[in-house]
Amino acid sequence: MVRLSISGVLSALLALTTAKSLPPSKENFHLRPFHIDLSRNVPRMIELARDYRLPDKPEYPGVGSSMGIDLDVLKSLRKQWLSDFDWKTEQANLNKLHHYTTTIEGLSIHFVHHKSNQPNAIPLLLNHGWPGSFLEFIPIIEPLLKKSKTSTGKPISFDIIIPSLPGYAFSSPPPEGWTVEDTARVFNTLMTDVLGYKKFAVHGTDLGAPIAYHLYDAFNATTRAAHFVFMPFYPLTPDEIVARNITLSLGEEFTEQNFVRWATTEAGYFQEHSYQPNTIGLALYNNPVGQLAWIGEKFIN
């Protein structure tokens, strides 16, 4: 059973149960079902992964994952790809979902859309981040579709919409200068003009959090409730806290220390993606083991 306990979000969500759908837009968004077919790409990826040469021993033995992904871990993951992972079965399972694509502002946007059979289901847009994809929300689709109860005992269920961010999975890459505000605008169009929802709720994790925030900020007539894994704002630096004579609680100190640690030791990928995307993009192009190291390190650590 799915339970919600955040009263502010809950009140907004319950208000959505009376919302009616908008009539379909006259604009042609080329909405169509989508079927995943990786048969042309996966065999070559497997060949590249098999032929990729890794070092016989680590450059810095004994450091584990403190300097990035461990060589033995990477070798083990590659072995799983080549020996244990059944991509055809995985593809068949993914195609059991309801996939669609639509064209908005010249971008092809892929999304998964499952509708609850319960009356007054709340449309819920789920935004993933990096390193992630629509896959991370698959386990919660069925529980959210079913009739459940809030912490106050009121019935609740959801229609689930999971888009792939522009440039992720099966969505086309955005043009230069694209921002989270642009993605928020496109996703508002998806929910209202393409799918016909008058009002909806949104959740965001990682990069999806600022997208969810901007949906709620800029389109609050349609985005009536928002939930974030984190608030998409940078906290004050330690020097700024001292300069403003601010006293932090123990919880605030813990949060500040975590941010400082992330900013100083774990944010290198963020800087690279933000300011030199071509470099890392070209380095990892046609390089599945390189992708495995770059992305896998974030999941492991």
Side-chain angles (χ1 to χ4, degrees), residues 91-92 95 101 115 122 147 164 215 230 291:
Q91 177 175 270
N95 277 321
T101 58
K115 300 193 71 172
I122 297 168
K147 181 179 180 180
S164 294
L215 271 165
F230 67 89
Q291 288 271 10

Side-chain angles (χ1 to χ4, degrees), residues 94-114:
L94 290 177
N95 277 321
K96 294 176 182 178
L97 302 174
H98 303 162
H99 296 267
Y100 301 89
T101 58
T102 187
T103 302
I104 304 173
E105 298 186 20
L107 297 179
S108 178
I109 300 297
H110 160 261
F111 64 98
V112 172
H113 186 199
H114 282 246

Side-chain angles (χ1 to χ4, degrees), residues 124-128 137 165 180-181 183-185 187 200-220 223-233:
L124 178 59
L125 178 70
L126 300 175
N127 291 331
H128 67 82
F137 293 120
L165 304 189
V180 292
E181 290 92 339
T183 300
R185 183 182 65 254
F187 284 179
F200 60 92
V202 63
H203 164 79
T205 177
D206 191 76
L207 181 58
I211 294 170
Y213 172 81
H214 284 292
L215 271 165
Y216 189 71
D217 182 55
F219 302 98
N220 52 41
T223 309
R224 301 302 297 151
H227 180 265
F228 321 107
V229 169
F230 67 89
M231 292 301 293
F233 305 104

Side-chain angles (χ1 to χ4, degrees), residues 27-279:
E27 183 175 347
N28 186 358
F29 291 102
H30 304 288
L31 177 64
R32 53 199 176 276
F34 178 78
H35 181 80
I36 298 174
D37 182 3
L38 303 177
S39 59
R40 294 181 57 186
N41 299 318
V42 171
R44 173 166 171 75
M45 186 193 77
I46 293 174
E47 179 183 346
L48 289 169
R50 182 180 293 111
D51 293 342
Y52 193 87
R53 182 177 177 181
L54 287 167
D56 295 327
K57 58 183 181 180
E59 189 71 24
Y60 303 103
V63 299
S65 61
S66 64
M67 297 181 68
I69 194 165
D70 181 77
L71 176 60
D72 288 338
V73 170
L74 183 58
K75 287 181 176 180
S76 175
L77 291 174
R78 181 175 69 166
K79 182 179 179 181
Q80 290 182 49
W81 256 1
L82 297 176
S83 304
D84 303 330
F85 182 70
D86 186 345
W87 71 270
K88 291 183 179 179
T89 298
E90 185 69 19
Q91 177 175 270
N93 288 334
L94 290 177
N95 277 321
K96 294 176 182 178
L97 302 174
H98 303 162
H99 296 267
Y100 301 89
T101 58
T102 187
T103 302
I104 304 173
E105 298 186 20
L107 297 179
S108 178
I109 300 297
H110 160 261
F111 64 98
V112 172
H113 186 199
H114 282 246
K115 300 193 71 172
S116 174
N117 59 11
Q118 299 297 316
N120 298 321
I122 297 168
L124 178 59
L125 178 70
L126 300 175
N127 291 331
H128 67 82
W130 188 93
S133 70
F134 71 95
L135 297 175
E136 62 194 68
F137 293 120
I138 290 177
I140 64 173
I141 292 177
E142 285 301 322
L144 290 173
L145 293 175
K146 296 177 181 178
K147 181 179 180 180
S148 188
K149 291 183 179 180
T150 68
S151 58
T152 59
K154 294 184 178 181
I156 193 169
S157 61
F158 299 88
D159 286 354
I160 300 300
I161 303 91
I162 311 172
S164 294
L165 304 189
Y168 289 69
F170 306 109
S171 289
S172 59
E176 182 183 0
W178 192 263
T179 66
V180 292
E181 290 92 339
D182 294 321
T183 300
R185 183 182 65 254
V186 165
F187 284 179
N188 185 69
T189 299
L190 169 66
M191 294 297 289
T192 57
D193 293 343
V194 178
L195 298 180
Y197 291 116
K198 187 176 181 180
K199 298 177 182 179
F200 60 92
V202 63
H203 164 79
T205 177
D206 191 76
L207 181 58
I211 294 170
Y213 172 81
H214 284 292
L215 271 165
Y216 189 71
D217 182 55
F219 302 98
N220 52 41
T222 52
T223 309
R224 301 302 297 151
H227 180 265
F228 321 107
V229 169
F230 67 89
M231 292 301 293
F233 305 104
Y234 283 112
L236 297 176
T237 66
D239 289 342
E240 289 171 330
I241 292 172
V242 172
R244 299 186 188 190
N245 196 28
I246 297 173
T247 301
L248 301 180
S249 67
L250 290 177
E252 290 169 338
E253 286 183 5
F254 177 78
T255 300
E256 176 71 12
Q257 290 168 3
N258 275 345
F259 171 75
V260 171
R261 176 180 53 80
W262 176 83
T264 55
T265 65
E266 298 182 22
Y269 77 93
F270 183 80
Q271 300 296 327
E272 184 74 20
H273 289 182
S274 299
Y275 301 110
Q276 283 84 35
N278 279 354
T279 301

